[in-house]
Amino acid sequence: MIKNLEEKLKFIELMDEMKNIQRAIYLKDKKQETNAEHSFHLAMMVLVFAEDFPQLDVEKCIKLALIHDIVEIYAWDTVVLDKEMTKTKKEREKKALDRLEKEFWKVLPNIIELLKEYEDKSSQEARYVYSLDKIQPIIQVVMEWWRTWHDWKIDFEKIKKRQYSKIYPEFWLDIILDKYFQEAEKEKMFYND
């Protein structure tokens, strides 16, 4: 018998909303990436690089990757280049986490605790997944051949500085950013005013 079946199914149904949250990033087929696609891609990155970080709990990292953006079901995705959205991001996401906790703490305390850990970056696993989360969009944009950067009029130096500043140096993941930024520069993928 499954405990708290109705509440768990309510959560599963809520997670379907991840498929409806569009991000600013485009995919190769020119449609916008969804939070569900982003989270899946991030979880696959965790899996692919697992052997390179044996000190990390891979299962926990995959869980963090899959749930890291579920607050956006209530808070919506924040386009980092939109200054107005960025101003309210923390407040909106805090309210969303509070709502998730109120609705699902009784049946899914482990997921709520993982969300809090990710938000606080209180473990190596949370910092690692957060770092990959800042790298994944760069990979996606280079794969779709620049459209996102041009549509958002992204300044090359600003985006480089921002993304490098967001990753935790304890994981030496900057080599991935190096590779994709070098490719983008070589192929002149950046917006040029």
Side-chain angles (χ1 to χ4, degrees):
M1 182 168 170
I2 298 175
K3 292 180 183 178
N4 302 308
L5 178 62
E6 291 303 315
E7 290 90 349
K8 288 177 179 174
L9 289 175
K10 181 181 171 191
F11 183 79
I12 293 298
E13 291 171 9
L14 180 66
M15 291 305 101
D16 195 61
E17 289 302 312
M18 293 287 281
K19 299 174 193 172
N20 298 321
I21 300 171
Q22 291 187 325
R23 296 165 50 81
I25 306 293
Y26 289 102
L27 302 174
K28 287 180 185 178
D29 62 4
K30 302 203 178 8
K31 78 175 187 86
Q32 285 177 272
E33 181 183 47
T34 68
N35 268 15
E37 291 164 325
H38 165 68
S39 296
F40 169 78
H41 200 196
L42 185 59
M44 289 303 294
M45 289 174 69
V46 167
L47 196 56
V48 166
F49 295 118
E51 69 180 342
D52 300 304
F53 301 95
Q55 74 276 24
L56 298 177
D57 177 342
V58 176
E59 182 181 343
K60 183 178 188 179
C61 289
I62 291 171
K63 288 176 183 179
L64 286 164
L66 290 172
I67 68 165
H68 79 287
D69 273 346
I70 66 173
V71 295
E72 292 178 4
I73 290 170
Y74 296 135
W76 214 246
D77 183 43
T78 300
V79 178
V80 296
L81 303 163
D82 184 320
K83 290 178 181 153
E84 292 306 309
M85 284 186 88
T86 303
K87 285 180 191 175
T88 63
K89 180 182 189 318
K90 284 190 187 287
E91 179 186 335
R92 285 182 291 112
E93 290 186 357
K94 168 78 169 91
K95 284 181 183 176
L97 183 56
D98 290 347
R99 182 173 173 184
L100 285 166
E101 183 173 12
K102 182 179 177 186
E103 292 175 6
F104 297 105
W105 177 261
K106 185 175 90 176
V107 291
L108 299 167
N110 54 335
I111 289 178
I112 303 301
E113 285 301 322
L114 282 172
L115 279 172
K116 290 179 179 182
E117 184 176 318
Y118 182 80
E119 291 300 315
D120 296 340
K121 316 298 177 285
S122 59
S123 67
Q124 266 198 316
E125 287 81 4
R127 291 188 298 276
Y128 173 68
V129 173
Y130 178 83
S131 296
L132 286 176
D133 182 48
K134 302 310 167 203
I135 293 169
Q136 187 274 343
I138 302 304
I139 294 172
Q140 192 64 57
V141 169
V142 172
M143 285 181 4
E144 62 84 18
W145 203 258
W146 64 259
R147 181 176 173 198
T148 301
W149 285 333
H150 283 249
D151 282 5
W152 285 95
K153 297 178 173 59
I154 303 295
D155 177 81
F156 178 53
E157 292 305 320
K158 282 183 185 173
I159 196 69
K160 274 178 63 175
K161 183 178 179 182
R162 182 190 186 282
Q163 295 314 104
Y164 280 111
S165 74
K166 294 288 184 180
I167 61 174
Y168 284 86
E170 65 194 280
F171 304 110
W172 40 267
L173 293 167
D174 55 324
I175 61 172
I176 299 172
L177 280 179
D178 291 345
K179 177 195 179 331
Y180 284 92
F181 280 134
Q182 286 167 8
E183 183 177 343
E185 194 167 22
K186 178 182 159 204
E187 298 297 335
K188 300 183 179 1
M189 291 181 184
F190 286 93
Y191 174 76
N192 192 349
D193 216 353

